[in-house]
Amino acid sequence: MKSWAVPAVSSGSRAADRARDLALPLVAVAGIVAVADLRIPVGLPGHRGLIWLTLLAAVALSVRRPGVVTAVGAASTVLTFALGSTVGDPRYLAAAILLDATLAIPIVRRHPVLLALAASPIHLVALVAPLLGAVGVGGALVGFGSGLATKVGFHLAFGLVAGLLGWTVAAALRCSWTRGEGVPARSRVRP
């Protein structure tokens, strides 16, 4: 029979968790806003999501409280608009809402790596504004068609990498789920 180890929580670890729960969202907002207009000459569609989606996934996986990642996405969106960003769409908020919704699924709460994997299709929100912009200015999706499959593929790949990086950041911060919650305890071998 398996036994599930739940570590004892000291007041020092609770204070560290609270500090992380406050600091990480603030750092994520600052990071997202700082790189909103950063142009990295990689030339691959979706590569900027490595930064902003990694930060959102790290917040979602670290704090794991409903609404926190949505608040980070909303604050990032509002601040980028207020500071005159050329990004011009609510991709951060949309992705954050989807991350929060995914985290609300019970199996994802039990297996957080699933949230990291879900970041792949969630990154497709970055394609919505350009597609709507093409239609809104009288363009047709036909013009997008030839390169759309490639763009979708790159967004999915970069989204997956960003989700796994966010999961790695959360693990590095020693979140509660990495300290043994849900991890089977090793059974002692008696000689």
Side-chain angles (χ1 to χ4, degrees):
M1 184 166 136
K2 290 184 181 180
S3 80
W4 299 94
V6 178
V9 179
S10 68
S11 62
S13 112
R14 280 190 203 128
D17 286 347
R18 273 184 265 152
R20 181 203 61 235
D21 290 355
L22 291 173
L24 186 60
L26 294 174
V27 168
V29 169
I32 291 168
V33 171
V35 300
D37 285 324
L38 182 66
R39 299 290 178 237
I40 306 168
V42 174
L44 299 174
H47 69 277
R48 290 180 2 172
L50 282 175
I51 299 169
W52 62 263
L53 190 54
T54 295
L55 291 169
L56 289 175
V59 169
L61 289 166
S62 295
V63 179
R64 294 182 65 187
R65 288 196 179 110
V68 172
V69 73
T70 298
V72 169
S76 300
T77 299
V78 168
L79 285 171
T80 54
F81 280 137
L83 296 173
S85 173
T86 59
V87 174
D89 66 79
R91 71 181 70 190
Y92 313 128
L93 178 59
I97 290 170
L98 291 171
L99 286 168
D100 250 348
T102 304
L103 194 56
I105 300 169
I107 193 165
V108 176
R109 292 196 64 77
R110 285 190 305 274
H111 305 285
V113 73
L114 295 175
L115 184 84
L117 299 176
S120 180
I122 288 173
H123 189 234
L124 293 176
V125 300
L127 284 176
V128 172
L131 287 175
L132 292 177
V135 172
V137 295
L141 291 180
V142 176
F144 248 108
S146 62
L148 186 59
T150 302
K151 288 182 181 190
V152 166
F154 275 113
H155 276 76
L156 289 170
F158 282 121
L160 176 63
V161 172
L164 293 173
L165 285 172
W167 185 67
T168 303
V169 168
L173 293 173
R174 299 177 189 255
C175 300
S176 62
W177 56 268
T178 63
R179 285 196 302 258
E181 272 184 31
V183 178
R186 292 186 179 178
S187 59
R188 294 185 185 180
V189 178
R190 296 182 187 196

